[in-house]
Amino acid sequence: MDIFTLSLLAFAGAFILKTTDQRQRILLLGRHLGQFQIEKLMERLSEGYMRALSEKDPERRQQIWQLQASTEASIASQFQRFAAGLAKDTAAPFRVNRIALPYADRWLPGASFDLREAMRIHARGIQLTVDNTAQRSERDRAYTLLAELYLMQHTCHWYCRTRATASARVLARHQTPYAQLVASVSPETRQAYSELVGFKG
């Protein structure tokens, strides 16, 4: 058997393994996320923030900010429950691969991190931003909360696919590079997240 045929077979085998691994991860995460409306709440919140930021009348703008409070509280609460549910699922393979190889977490554990810990960090960051413990302005708080949510979304995509795919999706959907997302979240999230995933900036 020549080198070309061997290479072709190896490529096909790796593709099948990668596809199978990704499908399992998507189904597993979808089973947990399907119990909540986090995605819909994110869209509603983003639209509300855009309306507030584009409103010229200060009084009307303040009213729009205030209208987002229930959505903010709901998304923080739902994400707390999602992260708690994920943490209880100790039998599932919740390792996120830092290298783009199928099942790398099984034969090279040091090249992965725990999705459940990442979601705990995201949940805390979302809650702290909603509570506004840093006393940010409405505008700054909105930007920080969106960054927290988009970084969480990046982690979900990373778990299901690869970091490169996750970064490309976030850039295409939100016009925000991965490094900018990390720089835009709260300092507490940024430090804990960077230590967990090995982000160097």
Side-chain angles (χ1 to χ4, degrees):
M1 194 176 291
D2 59 30
I3 294 176
F4 176 77
T5 304
L6 284 172
S7 298
L8 191 62
L9 288 173
F11 178 80
F15 179 78
I16 291 170
L17 286 174
K18 178 182 176 183
T19 303
T20 302
D21 184 36
Q22 290 179 349
R23 187 183 302 117
Q24 291 171 344
R25 288 167 177 267
I26 291 168
L27 289 172
L28 178 59
L29 190 59
R31 190 176 77 230
H32 284 274
L33 280 170
Q35 304 172 49
F36 306 98
Q37 295 183 312
I38 294 169
E39 188 82 18
K40 290 181 180 179
L41 290 169
M42 283 177 63
E43 291 177 8
R44 189 185 307 168
L45 198 61
S46 179
E47 290 170 2
Y49 284 164
M50 293 307 108
R51 286 200 309 273
L53 290 168
S54 62
E55 177 58 54
K56 304 298 182 185
D57 179 34
E59 186 175 336
R60 174 60 182 155
R61 183 168 58 245
Q62 187 58 35
Q63 289 175 349
I64 297 173
W65 284 128
Q66 291 171 353
L67 286 172
Q68 308 316 307
S70 62
T71 305
E72 293 168 349
S74 183
I75 201 168
S77 173
Q78 288 200 28
F79 201 81
Q80 289 283 351
R81 286 185 283 137
F82 162 71
L86 212 62
K88 292 177 183 176
D89 191 351
T90 55
F94 282 123
R95 302 298 300 180
V96 184
N97 292 323
R98 292 193 180 98
I99 56 177
L101 290 174
Y103 303 107
D105 56 295
R106 300 184 186 180
W107 50 269
L108 197 59
S112 65
F113 62 89
D114 194 332
L115 178 71
R116 293 165 297 190
E117 177 61 19
M119 291 300 129
R120 187 189 68 78
I121 291 169
H122 291 312
R124 185 181 62 186
I126 291 167
Q127 188 66 63
L128 285 173
T129 307
V130 168
D131 292 343
N132 202 18
T133 55
Q135 297 186 327
R136 297 179 177 89
S137 67
E138 294 286 9
R139 177 180 175 277
D140 289 346
R141 190 171 69 93
Y143 278 123
T144 304
L145 183 55
L146 286 179
E148 296 275 356
L149 292 168
Y150 294 162
L151 186 61
M152 173 275 295
Q153 196 173 55
H154 181 281
T155 303
C156 290
H157 288 316
W158 187 353
Y159 170 72
C160 293
R161 304 285 186 178
T162 64
R163 186 174 70 172
T165 300
S167 299
R169 286 187 174 184
V170 168
L171 181 60
R173 189 168 184 180
H174 306 300
Q175 293 76 54
T176 309
Y178 171 51
Q180 185 178 334
L181 277 183
V182 180
S184 301
V185 295
S186 66
E188 296 88 350
T189 298
R190 184 163 53 254
Q191 180 177 348
Y193 172 87
S194 298
E195 289 176 358
L196 179 68
V197 310
F199 179 80
K200 301 298 182 183

